[in-house]
Amino acid sequence: MNTNSSYLPLTSKDIAKAAKVSQATVSRVLSGNTNVQPETRERVLAVIREMKYRPNGMARAMRTNRTGNIGVVVSRLANPLYPEMLQILGQELTEAGLRMVVWNTDETDEGAAASAVRESLVDGVIMTTATSLSTPLYEAVMMNAPVVLIHRVVEGWPCDQVSSDNTQGAISVADYVVKAGRKRIGLIEGAPLASTIRDRQSAFRSRLTELGRPLDPSLVIRVDSFSHKTGFDAASYLLDLAQPPDVMFCVNDVIALGARDAARARGVDVPGQLWLIGYDDIEMAAWPAFDLTTVRQPLKRMAHEAVALLRDRVSGASLDHSTVCLPTELVIRGSTAGHRMDR
Amino acid sequence: MNTNSSYLPLTSKDIAKAAKVSQATVSRVLSGNTNVQPETRERVLAVIREMKYRPNGMARAMRTNRTGNIGVVVSRLANPLYPEMLQILGQELTEAGLRMVVWNTDETDEGAAASAVRESLVDGVIMTTATSLSTPLYEAVMMNAPVVLIHRVVEGWPCDQVSSDNTQGAISVADYVVKAGRKRIGLIEGAPLASTIRDRQSAFRSRLTELGRPLDPSLVIRVDSFSHKTGFDAASYLLDLAQPPDVMFCVNDVIALGARDAARARGVDVPGQLWLIGYDDIEMAAWPAFDLTTVRQPLKRMAHEAVALLRDRVSGASLDHSTVCLPTELVIRGSTAGHRMDR
DNA sequence: GCTTGTCGTGAAATCGTATTCATAATAACT
DNA sequence: AGTTATTATGAATACGATTTCACGACAAGC
């Protein structure tokens, strides 16, 4: 009943037979840890090479209870930030000999990932999408599944968490625009579900208040999703006000790129008439078409940290749950006319 | 020796005991195919629900010789085309109940993916990166591993292949610029390794020759990688010529976006002084900042087709190898001044 | 009323590896 | 020289499901 030509049904038993050793010895040679007579090892390796044998990963996985697969959950691949994260996470995982299985939730549910851990299909999960509403994820965490939150974090959850300091990032933006003497400060914000968004906009608000320049509510608009289009529309609305803002802070870069295009479409000069500031420093922010001042997250360090934590967690070193928060950096570009902070 | 608190070490045997049935029956209930008395099934399901049992995926995988994991190999996540492909492929795979494990090769080797199939860690691989130089991949294909090529294909390889008609796409561009009376036709091309690139540029060349307007070699420049920066540099070079082109065809959109920015940086008006045409129709091509005329690949259909073929292949229906080639569409936008094709 | 089928179930075999246990051979001590 | 470690290996077991095999109970057909 087996399908015509499975393309290499060799097992370690076949190798054992061909090398005139026991199957156990083949396994020992493969894992390398255990003692095997050098000449025996050579003989076995020769046969393996010759017969082009590859061990069956699933059998190994079942026996060792480790697949080598790590799940990564992102919310929207259409936001270039996430491909950038995937690229970096992929690198880190590959270096650690792990594979990356990707779930793109489009802001719906992370249930699939949670299930996969519970079914031992992945050893652990790196989650960029967590919010306090992530129920299945929360359950997985409570069951002590190996989960690490990165980028978006959720205070109080008993798991490892890696973020960058969104509060500090937003404060540096607030300080910057006030110091530069901007008068009409606009904000394009989002639903405060994700910690990233929430921290950014609330820190921005309160810092401005501290500085004696509280936000004018009429210059604040909230988008219900994060895309070029929503940014475009929101910025269009603000620009069409009788008294439009002279600077806009956007809670992330995609929104800011949309805003930049809205300005372009209306012939509004940036930075002449309008300053524009984003958040994340995605690659495109640096392109001449946008030349966007923004706040950079240390993605590489975050990814490195997250993978390290997850590996510890998977290997069962049941340390306490770490919470890592890394510093950000204000990157000043042409969309704010080079009024650099003193430093 | 087991780590303190594995987070749910339940097996079907535990369920069997609790439901007072044999382990085999639990399995039967789970798989659903086989006959089980309705009341027995209910009892078992109740226990499963109550104890929050999840079957061990690896054990199942080993027994059924199917993991439910599909590998997807992309060459450069930094090219927005690939995240778009991943998003669509991810959708298709999820609908089919499969998981997507992603390898980003950065144009190096696909060896990891090839290994993974051979080790049964993934059921099959969807490859976007194939070139005739992909040795480990070629070996996997020759061993009859379930591999389908998408986007980039390699003539003569015995495996399923799904592409769009790059030749026709490039011809439509050639026709378009000639008909519009463009005089100095520039081309930013790449190394002709990938079928996509090769077909596009060779078809473009030969069609222009056919039309009696062969390419002027001094207006052709070859980039050695595909990024915004290389596009920017190449276009800068062409624009700085004493007699710059009045239209540039770029072999892909990322290059074209870089070229657009080069024009912007030099104050060259698009489409006034320069027409610009890309290839792929990535999402950003439609943004006002670029507004790029380009050729659209039917990604959704391609992905659908690829997943369908791979599933057939995995399930062992050893049909012949299919070669699917879908039509493309010239999308005219502001970078070419709305001189629309007659239709 | 006897044979034949179908259905529901449990016991047992199986998947391919890693690992434990046992053993023979060799090395290392008194 | 006799006892004790140590090393190299094979035989056997375990991992947790799916699947085959066997069997009893009951329905259907003659």
Side-chain angles (χ1 to χ4, degrees), chain A residues 4-5 7-8 52 54 57-59 61-62 67 100-102 115 117-120 143-144 228 261 264 284 287-289 318, chain B residues 4-5 7-8 52 54 57-59 61-62 67 100-102 115 117-120 143-144 228 261 264 284 287-289 318:
Chain A
N4 49 348
S5 62
Y7 55 95
L8 207 87
K52 291 182 190 299
R54 305 299 306 258
M58 290 174 313
M62 158 141 109
T67 64
M100 175 169 78
V101 7
V102 173
S115 288
V117 210
R118 298 205 35 218
E119 294 174 7
S120 322
M143 288 171 124
N144 204 24
H228 181 277
D261 270 339
R264 197 185 322 265
M284 292 160 39
W287 291 4
S318 180
Chain B
N4 49 349
S5 61
Y7 53 95
L8 207 86
K52 291 183 193 295
R54 305 299 306 256
M58 277 299 131
M62 157 141 109
T67 63
M100 175 171 78
V101 7
V102 174
S115 288
V117 211
R118 298 204 35 214
E119 293 174 8
S120 317
M143 287 171 126
N144 203 23
H228 180 277
D261 269 340
R264 199 184 322 267
M284 291 160 39
W287 291 4
S318 180

Short mmCIF file of all heavy atoms in Angstrom, two decimals, chain A residues 4-5 7-8 52 54 57-59 61-62 67 100-102 115 117-120 143-144 228 261 264 284 287-289 318, chain B residues 4-5 7-8 52 54 57-59 61-62 67 100-102 115 117-120 143-144 228 261 264 284 287-289 318:
data_model
loop_
_atom_site.label_atom_id
_atom_site.label_comp_id
_atom_site.label_asym_id
_atom_site.label_seq_id
_atom_site.Cartn_x
_atom_site.Cartn_y
_atom_site.Cartn_z
N ASN A 4 4.06 4.24 -4.54
CA ASN A 4 5.08 3.80 -5.48
C ASN A 4 6.52 4.01 -5.01
O ASN A 4 7.19 3.09 -4.57
CB ASN A 4 4.86 4.49 -6.82
CG ASN A 4 4.68 5.99 -6.64
OD1 ASN A 4 4.51 6.46 -5.52
ND2 ASN A 4 4.72 6.71 -7.74
N SER A 5 6.99 5.24 -5.15
CA SER A 5 8.41 5.43 -4.87
C SER A 5 8.63 6.50 -3.81
O SER A 5 8.90 7.64 -4.13
CB SER A 5 9.12 5.84 -6.15
OG SER A 5 8.59 7.08 -6.60
N TYR A 7 10.92 8.45 -1.65
CA TYR A 7 12.17 8.81 -2.29
C TYR A 7 13.40 8.57 -1.43
O TYR A 7 14.35 9.32 -1.48
CB TYR A 7 12.13 10.27 -2.69
CG TYR A 7 11.81 11.15 -1.54
CD1 TYR A 7 12.84 11.74 -0.82
CD2 TYR A 7 10.51 11.37 -1.14
CE1 TYR A 7 12.56 12.51 0.26
CE2 TYR A 7 10.22 12.14 -0.06
CZ TYR A 7 11.24 12.72 0.63
OH TYR A 7 10.97 13.49 1.71
N LEU A 8 13.36 7.57 -0.53
CA LEU A 8 14.56 7.23 0.21
C LEU A 8 14.15 6.70 1.56
O LEU A 8 14.36 7.37 2.56
CB LEU A 8 15.48 8.45 0.40
CG LEU A 8 16.95 8.09 0.56
CD1 LEU A 8 17.61 7.98 -0.80
CD2 LEU A 8 17.64 9.11 1.43
N LYS A 52 23.72 7.72 1.24
CA LYS A 52 23.02 9.01 1.34
C LYS A 52 21.89 8.96 2.37
O LYS A 52 20.79 9.45 2.14
CB LYS A 52 22.45 9.44 -0.01
CG LYS A 52 23.48 9.81 -1.06
CD LYS A 52 22.77 10.27 -2.33
CE LYS A 52 23.73 10.43 -3.50
NZ LYS A 52 24.76 11.45 -3.27
N ARG A 54 19.74 9.84 5.61
CA ARG A 54 19.44 10.94 6.52
C ARG A 54 18.49 10.42 7.58
O ARG A 54 17.49 9.77 7.25
CB ARG A 54 18.74 12.10 5.78
CG ARG A 54 19.50 12.62 4.60
CD ARG A 54 20.86 13.18 4.95
NE ARG A 54 20.82 14.19 5.97
CZ ARG A 54 20.90 15.49 5.73
NH1 ARG A 54 21.00 15.92 4.49
NH2 ARG A 54 20.89 16.35 6.72
N GLY A 57 13.71 12.74 10.97
CA GLY A 57 13.58 13.81 11.95
C GLY A 57 12.42 13.63 12.91
O GLY A 57 12.51 13.98 14.08
N MET A 58 11.33 13.06 12.41
CA MET A 58 10.16 12.94 13.29
C MET A 58 10.37 11.89 14.35
O MET A 58 9.95 12.06 15.49
CB MET A 58 8.94 12.62 12.45
CG MET A 58 8.52 13.79 11.59
SD MET A 58 7.20 13.33 10.51
CE MET A 58 7.80 11.79 9.88
N ALA A 59 10.99 10.81 13.95
CA ALA A 59 11.26 9.77 14.93
C ALA A 59 12.17 10.35 16.01
O ALA A 59 11.94 10.18 17.22
CB ALA A 59 11.92 8.58 14.26
N ALA A 61 12.46 13.43 16.76
CA ALA A 61 11.71 14.43 17.51
C ALA A 61 10.85 13.75 18.58
O ALA A 61 10.78 14.20 19.72
CB ALA A 61 10.82 15.23 16.57
N MET A 62 10.24 12.67 18.19
CA MET A 62 9.38 12.01 19.16
C MET A 62 10.20 11.47 20.33
O MET A 62 9.81 11.61 21.49
CB MET A 62 8.66 10.85 18.49
CG MET A 62 8.19 9.84 19.48
SD MET A 62 6.63 9.18 19.10
CE MET A 62 7.11 7.57 18.62
N THR A 67 11.45 19.21 18.49
CA THR A 67 11.33 19.22 17.04
C THR A 67 12.38 20.08 16.36
O THR A 67 12.71 19.86 15.20
CB THR A 67 9.97 19.78 16.60
OG1 THR A 67 9.90 21.15 17.03
CG2 THR A 67 8.83 19.01 17.25
N MET A 100 12.08 28.05 11.58
CA MET A 100 11.11 29.08 11.92
C MET A 100 9.79 28.80 11.24
O MET A 100 9.72 28.81 10.01
CB MET A 100 11.65 30.44 11.47
CG MET A 100 10.70 31.61 11.66
SD MET A 100 11.51 33.21 11.40
CE MET A 100 11.57 33.30 9.61
N VAL A 101 8.77 28.51 12.01
CA VAL A 101 7.46 28.39 11.36
C VAL A 101 6.67 29.65 11.66
O VAL A 101 6.63 30.15 12.78
CB VAL A 101 6.72 27.06 11.71
CG1 VAL A 101 7.43 26.27 12.74
CG2 VAL A 101 5.28 27.28 12.05
N VAL A 102 6.09 30.19 10.61
CA VAL A 102 5.53 31.54 10.68
C VAL A 102 4.01 31.51 10.63
O VAL A 102 3.42 30.83 9.78
CB VAL A 102 6.04 32.38 9.49
CG1 VAL A 102 5.34 33.73 9.46
CG2 VAL A 102 7.54 32.57 9.60
N SER A 115 -1.99 26.13 19.89
CA SER A 115 -2.25 24.71 19.69
C SER A 115 -0.97 23.97 19.33
O SER A 115 -0.70 22.89 19.86
CB SER A 115 -3.25 24.51 18.55
OG SER A 115 -4.52 24.90 18.95
N VAL A 117 2.11 24.45 19.99
CA VAL A 117 3.00 24.13 21.11
C VAL A 117 2.42 22.98 21.88
O VAL A 117 3.14 22.05 22.24
CB VAL A 117 3.14 25.27 22.14
CG1 VAL A 117 4.50 25.23 22.80
CG2 VAL A 117 2.84 26.60 21.55
N ARG A 118 1.15 23.06 22.14
CA ARG A 118 0.55 22.03 22.98
C ARG A 118 0.60 20.67 22.30
O ARG A 118 0.60 19.64 22.96
CB ARG A 118 -0.88 22.43 23.32
CG ARG A 118 -0.89 23.74 24.13
CD ARG A 118 -2.12 23.88 24.98
NE ARG A 118 -2.55 22.59 25.49
CZ ARG A 118 -3.83 22.24 25.60
NH1 ARG A 118 -4.77 23.08 25.23
NH2 ARG A 118 -4.15 21.06 26.09
N GLU A 119 0.62 20.67 21.00
CA GLU A 119 0.70 19.39 20.29
C GLU A 119 2.16 19.01 19.98
O GLU A 119 2.39 18.13 19.16
CB GLU A 119 -0.11 19.47 19.00
CG GLU A 119 -1.60 19.63 19.26
CD GLU A 119 -2.39 19.86 17.98
OE1 GLU A 119 -1.81 19.76 16.90
OE2 GLU A 119 -3.59 20.15 18.10
N SER A 120 3.08 19.70 20.59
CA SER A 120 4.51 19.42 20.37
C SER A 120 4.92 19.51 18.92
O SER A 120 5.81 18.78 18.49
CB SER A 120 4.91 18.04 20.88
OG SER A 120 4.27 17.71 22.04
N MET A 143 -0.14 27.43 31.11
CA MET A 143 0.21 26.01 31.17
C MET A 143 1.71 25.85 31.10
O MET A 143 2.20 24.74 30.91
CB MET A 143 -0.44 25.27 30.03
CG MET A 143 -1.93 25.14 30.22
SD MET A 143 -2.67 24.48 28.74
CE MET A 143 -3.49 23.04 29.43
N ASN A 144 2.41 26.96 31.17
CA ASN A 144 3.86 26.91 31.21
C ASN A 144 4.48 26.51 29.88
O ASN A 144 5.58 25.99 29.81
CB ASN A 144 4.31 25.95 32.31
CG ASN A 144 5.70 26.28 32.77
OD1 ASN A 144 6.15 27.42 32.62
ND2 ASN A 144 6.40 25.30 33.29
N HIS A 228 -0.70 51.88 5.13
CA HIS A 228 -0.43 53.09 4.38
C HIS A 228 -1.73 53.86 4.15
O HIS A 228 -1.80 55.07 4.35
CB HIS A 228 0.20 52.70 3.04
CG HIS A 228 0.55 53.87 2.17
ND1 HIS A 228 -0.37 54.50 1.36
CD2 HIS A 228 1.71 54.53 2.00
CE1 HIS A 228 0.22 55.49 0.72
NE2 HIS A 228 1.49 55.53 1.09
N ASP A 261 2.69 60.57 2.08
CA ASP A 261 2.09 60.57 0.75
C ASP A 261 0.87 61.48 0.69
O ASP A 261 0.58 62.09 -0.34
CB ASP A 261 1.72 59.14 0.33
CG ASP A 261 2.86 58.47 -0.41
OD1 ASP A 261 3.72 59.18 -0.94
OD2 ASP A 261 2.89 57.22 -0.47
N ARG A 264 2.23 64.82 0.16
CA ARG A 264 2.66 64.92 -1.23
C ARG A 264 1.46 65.15 -2.15
O ARG A 264 1.51 66.02 -3.02
CB ARG A 264 3.38 63.62 -1.63
CG ARG A 264 4.23 63.73 -2.87
CD ARG A 264 4.84 62.38 -3.29
NE ARG A 264 5.27 61.55 -2.18
CZ ARG A 264 6.51 61.50 -1.71
NH1 ARG A 264 7.44 62.25 -2.26
NH2 ARG A 264 6.82 60.70 -0.72
N MET A 284 12.37 51.40 4.77
CA MET A 284 11.88 52.40 3.82
C MET A 284 11.88 53.80 4.37
O MET A 284 11.83 54.77 3.60
CB MET A 284 10.47 52.03 3.39
CG MET A 284 10.43 50.78 2.55
SD MET A 284 8.79 50.07 2.55
CE MET A 284 7.85 51.57 2.50
N TRP A 287 14.48 55.83 2.80
CA TRP A 287 14.48 56.08 1.36
C TRP A 287 14.21 57.56 1.09
O TRP A 287 13.40 58.19 1.78
CB TRP A 287 13.41 55.24 0.67
CG TRP A 287 13.70 53.77 0.66
CD1 TRP A 287 14.75 53.13 1.25
CD2 TRP A 287 12.91 52.77 0.02
NE1 TRP A 287 14.66 51.78 1.02
CE2 TRP A 287 13.54 51.53 0.26
CE3 TRP A 287 11.74 52.78 -0.74
CZ2 TRP A 287 13.04 50.33 -0.22
CZ3 TRP A 287 11.23 51.58 -1.22
CH2 TRP A 287 11.89 50.37 -0.97
N PRO A 288 14.83 58.10 0.05
CA PRO A 288 14.64 59.51 -0.27
C PRO A 288 13.17 59.90 -0.39
O PRO A 288 12.81 61.03 -0.05
CB PRO A 288 15.37 59.65 -1.61
CG PRO A 288 16.43 58.61 -1.57
CD PRO A 288 15.85 57.46 -0.81
N ALA A 289 12.35 59.01 -0.88
CA ALA A 289 10.94 59.35 -1.07
C ALA A 289 10.29 59.74 0.25
O ALA A 289 9.30 60.48 0.27
CB ALA A 289 10.18 58.19 -1.69
N SER A 318 14.48 26.11 34.29
CA SER A 318 13.30 26.86 34.69
C SER A 318 13.67 28.06 35.55
O SER A 318 13.40 28.12 36.74
CB SER A 318 12.33 25.98 35.45
OG SER A 318 11.21 26.75 35.81
N ASN B 4 11.14 19.52 35.55
CA ASN B 4 10.14 19.82 36.57
C ASN B 4 8.69 19.70 36.12
O ASN B 4 8.02 18.72 36.39
CB ASN B 4 10.38 21.21 37.15
CG ASN B 4 10.57 22.24 36.02
OD1 ASN B 4 10.71 21.87 34.85
ND2 ASN B 4 10.54 23.48 36.40
N SER B 5 8.22 20.71 35.41
CA SER B 5 6.80 20.69 35.09
C SER B 5 6.59 20.80 33.60
O SER B 5 6.34 21.87 33.08
CB SER B 5 6.10 21.85 35.79
OG SER B 5 6.65 23.07 35.33
N TYR B 7 4.31 20.82 30.67
CA TYR B 7 3.07 21.53 30.91
C TYR B 7 1.85 20.79 30.41
O TYR B 7 0.91 21.39 29.94
CB TYR B 7 3.14 22.89 30.23
CG TYR B 7 3.50 22.77 28.80
CD1 TYR B 7 2.50 22.73 27.84
CD2 TYR B 7 4.82 22.63 28.39
CE1 TYR B 7 2.82 22.58 26.53
CE2 TYR B 7 5.13 22.48 27.09
CZ TYR B 7 4.13 22.45 26.16
OH TYR B 7 4.45 22.29 24.85
N LEU B 8 1.87 19.46 30.44
CA LEU B 8 0.66 18.71 30.08
C LEU B 8 1.05 17.40 29.46
O LEU B 8 0.91 17.20 28.27
CB LEU B 8 -0.18 19.49 29.06
CG LEU B 8 -1.67 19.14 29.14
CD1 LEU B 8 -2.33 20.00 30.20
CD2 LEU B 8 -2.31 19.29 27.81
N LYS B 52 -8.49 18.52 28.88
CA LYS B 52 -7.74 19.40 27.96
C LYS B 52 -6.60 18.66 27.27
O LYS B 52 -5.48 19.16 27.16
CB LYS B 52 -7.17 20.61 28.71
CG LYS B 52 -8.19 21.61 29.21
CD LYS B 52 -7.48 22.79 29.86
CE LYS B 52 -8.43 23.67 30.65
NZ LYS B 52 -9.43 24.34 29.79
N ARG B 54 -4.41 17.14 24.30
CA ARG B 54 -4.09 17.35 22.89
C ARG B 54 -3.16 16.24 22.45
O ARG B 54 -2.18 15.95 23.14
CB ARG B 54 -3.38 18.68 22.67
CG ARG B 54 -4.12 19.89 23.20
CD ARG B 54 -5.46 20.10 22.54
NE ARG B 54 -5.39 20.14 21.10
CZ ARG B 54 -5.48 21.26 20.39
NH1 ARG B 54 -5.63 22.42 21.02
NH2 ARG B 54 -5.42 21.23 19.11
N GLY B 57 1.66 15.65 18.41
CA GLY B 57 1.79 15.78 16.97
C GLY B 57 2.95 14.99 16.39
O GLY B 57 2.86 14.46 15.28
N MET B 58 4.03 14.89 17.13
CA MET B 58 5.20 14.21 16.61
C MET B 58 4.96 12.71 16.50
O MET B 58 5.36 12.08 15.52
CB MET B 58 6.40 14.47 17.52
CG MET B 58 7.06 15.77 17.21
SD MET B 58 7.65 15.72 15.52
CE MET B 58 7.03 17.24 14.88
N ALA B 59 4.31 12.17 17.50
CA ALA B 59 4.01 10.74 17.44
C ALA B 59 3.11 10.47 16.24
O ALA B 59 3.34 9.54 15.46
CB ALA B 59 3.32 10.30 18.72
N ALA B 61 2.88 12.30 13.63
CA ALA B 61 3.66 12.54 12.41
C ALA B 61 4.50 11.31 12.06
O ALA B 61 4.58 10.91 10.92
CB ALA B 61 4.54 13.76 12.59
N MET B 62 5.09 10.75 13.09
CA MET B 62 5.95 9.62 12.81
C MET B 62 5.14 8.44 12.27
O MET B 62 5.53 7.80 11.30
CB MET B 62 6.66 9.18 14.08
CG MET B 62 7.09 7.76 14.02
SD MET B 62 8.63 7.47 14.74
CE MET B 62 8.12 6.60 16.16
N THR B 67 3.98 15.50 8.52
CA THR B 67 4.10 16.45 9.62
C THR B 67 3.08 17.57 9.54
O THR B 67 2.75 18.19 10.54
CB THR B 67 5.48 17.14 9.59
OG1 THR B 67 5.59 17.88 8.38
CG2 THR B 67 6.59 16.12 9.66
N MET B 100 3.53 26.69 7.81
CA MET B 100 4.53 27.22 6.87
C MET B 100 5.85 27.46 7.59
O MET B 100 5.93 28.29 8.48
CB MET B 100 3.99 28.53 6.29
CG MET B 100 4.96 29.26 5.39
SD MET B 100 4.19 30.66 4.50
CE MET B 100 4.14 31.90 5.80
N VAL B 101 6.85 26.70 7.20
CA VAL B 101 8.16 27.02 7.77
C VAL B 101 8.98 27.74 6.71
O VAL B 101 9.01 27.37 5.55
CB VAL B 101 8.87 25.79 8.39
CG1 VAL B 101 8.14 24.50 8.13
CG2 VAL B 101 10.31 25.70 8.00
N VAL B 102 9.57 28.84 7.15
CA VAL B 102 10.15 29.79 6.20
C VAL B 102 11.67 29.78 6.27
O VAL B 102 12.25 29.83 7.35
CB VAL B 102 9.67 31.21 6.51
CG1 VAL B 102 10.39 32.22 5.64
CG2 VAL B 102 8.16 31.31 6.29
N SER B 115 17.54 19.53 2.95
CA SER B 115 17.76 18.60 4.06
C SER B 115 16.48 18.30 4.79
O SER B 115 16.18 17.15 5.12
CB SER B 115 18.76 19.18 5.05
OG SER B 115 20.04 19.19 4.50
N VAL B 117 13.39 18.28 3.95
CA VAL B 117 12.49 17.31 3.32
C VAL B 117 13.05 15.92 3.50
O VAL B 117 12.33 15.00 3.86
CB VAL B 117 12.36 17.48 1.78
CG1 VAL B 117 10.99 17.05 1.32
CG2 VAL B 117 12.71 18.83 1.33
N ARG B 118 14.33 15.78 3.27
CA ARG B 118 14.91 14.45 3.32
C ARG B 118 14.86 13.90 4.73
O ARG B 118 14.85 12.69 4.93
CB ARG B 118 16.34 14.49 2.80
CG ARG B 118 16.36 14.95 1.33
CD ARG B 118 17.59 14.48 0.63
NE ARG B 118 18.00 13.18 1.11
CZ ARG B 118 19.26 12.79 1.19
NH1 ARG B 118 20.22 13.63 0.85
NH2 ARG B 118 19.56 11.59 1.62
N GLU B 119 14.82 14.75 5.71
CA GLU B 119 14.72 14.27 7.09
C GLU B 119 13.28 14.22 7.56
O GLU B 119 13.02 14.09 8.76
CB GLU B 119 15.55 15.18 8.01
CG GLU B 119 17.03 15.09 7.73
CD GLU B 119 17.85 16.10 8.52
OE1 GLU B 119 17.27 16.76 9.39
OE2 GLU B 119 19.06 16.23 8.24
N SER B 120 12.36 14.36 6.64
CA SER B 120 10.93 14.30 6.98
C SER B 120 10.52 15.33 8.01
O SER B 120 9.62 15.09 8.80
CB SER B 120 10.52 12.93 7.50
OG SER B 120 11.06 11.91 6.75
N MET B 143 15.61 13.02 -6.26
CA MET B 143 15.23 11.93 -5.37
C MET B 143 13.72 11.88 -5.22
O MET B 143 13.21 11.19 -4.36
CB MET B 143 15.88 12.12 -4.02
CG MET B 143 17.36 11.83 -4.07
SD MET B 143 18.13 12.32 -2.53
CE MET B 143 18.94 10.78 -2.11
N ASN B 144 13.05 12.67 -6.02
CA ASN B 144 11.60 12.63 -6.02
C ASN B 144 10.99 13.23 -4.77
O ASN B 144 9.88 12.90 -4.38
CB ASN B 144 11.12 11.19 -6.21
CG ASN B 144 9.74 11.15 -6.78
OD1 ASN B 144 9.30 12.11 -7.42
ND2 ASN B 144 9.03 10.06 -6.54
N HIS B 228 16.77 48.53 -3.23
CA HIS B 228 16.51 49.93 -3.48
C HIS B 228 17.82 50.64 -3.82
O HIS B 228 17.90 51.42 -4.76
CB HIS B 228 15.87 50.55 -2.23
CG HIS B 228 15.55 52.00 -2.38
ND1 HIS B 228 16.48 52.99 -2.18
CD2 HIS B 228 14.40 52.63 -2.70
CE1 HIS B 228 15.91 54.17 -2.38
NE2 HIS B 228 14.64 53.98 -2.69
N ASP B 261 13.52 57.09 -6.81
CA ASP B 261 14.13 57.97 -5.81
C ASP B 261 15.37 58.66 -6.37
O ASP B 261 15.67 59.80 -6.00
CB ASP B 261 14.48 57.17 -4.55
CG ASP B 261 13.34 57.18 -3.55
OD1 ASP B 261 12.46 58.07 -3.64
OD2 ASP B 261 13.30 56.30 -2.66
N ARG B 264 14.06 61.51 -8.22
CA ARG B 264 13.64 62.53 -7.25
C ARG B 264 14.85 63.30 -6.72
O ARG B 264 14.83 64.53 -6.63
CB ARG B 264 12.91 61.84 -6.09
CG ARG B 264 12.04 62.76 -5.25
CD ARG B 264 11.42 62.04 -4.04
NE ARG B 264 10.98 60.67 -4.28
CZ ARG B 264 9.74 60.34 -4.64
NH1 ARG B 264 8.83 61.28 -4.81
NH2 ARG B 264 9.43 59.08 -4.84
N MET B 284 3.69 48.62 -2.70
CA MET B 284 4.19 49.99 -2.65
C MET B 284 4.21 50.66 -4.01
O MET B 284 4.27 51.90 -4.08
CB MET B 284 5.59 49.99 -2.08
CG MET B 284 5.61 49.61 -0.63
SD MET B 284 7.25 49.06 -0.16
CE MET B 284 8.21 50.18 -1.08
N TRP B 287 1.66 53.26 -4.21
CA TRP B 287 1.65 54.41 -3.31
C TRP B 287 1.96 55.69 -4.10
O TRP B 287 2.77 55.66 -5.04
CB TRP B 287 2.72 54.24 -2.23
CG TRP B 287 2.41 53.17 -1.25
CD1 TRP B 287 1.36 52.30 -1.27
CD2 TRP B 287 3.20 52.83 -0.09
NE1 TRP B 287 1.43 51.44 -0.20
CE2 TRP B 287 2.55 51.74 0.54
CE3 TRP B 287 4.37 53.33 0.46
CZ2 TRP B 287 3.04 51.16 1.70
CZ3 TRP B 287 4.86 52.75 1.61
CH2 TRP B 287 4.20 51.69 2.24
N PRO B 288 1.35 56.78 -3.69
CA PRO B 288 1.57 58.04 -4.40
C PRO B 288 3.04 58.40 -4.56
O PRO B 288 3.43 58.98 -5.57
CB PRO B 288 0.85 59.05 -3.51
CG PRO B 288 -0.23 58.26 -2.85
CD PRO B 288 0.34 56.90 -2.65
N ALA B 289 3.86 58.06 -3.61
CA ALA B 289 5.27 58.41 -3.69
C ALA B 289 5.93 57.81 -4.93
O ALA B 289 6.93 58.33 -5.41
CB ALA B 289 6.01 57.94 -2.45
N SER B 318 0.93 10.12 -7.88
CA SER B 318 2.12 10.39 -8.67
C SER B 318 1.77 10.72 -10.10
O SER B 318 2.04 9.99 -11.02
CB SER B 318 3.08 9.21 -8.62
OG SER B 318 4.21 9.52 -9.39
#
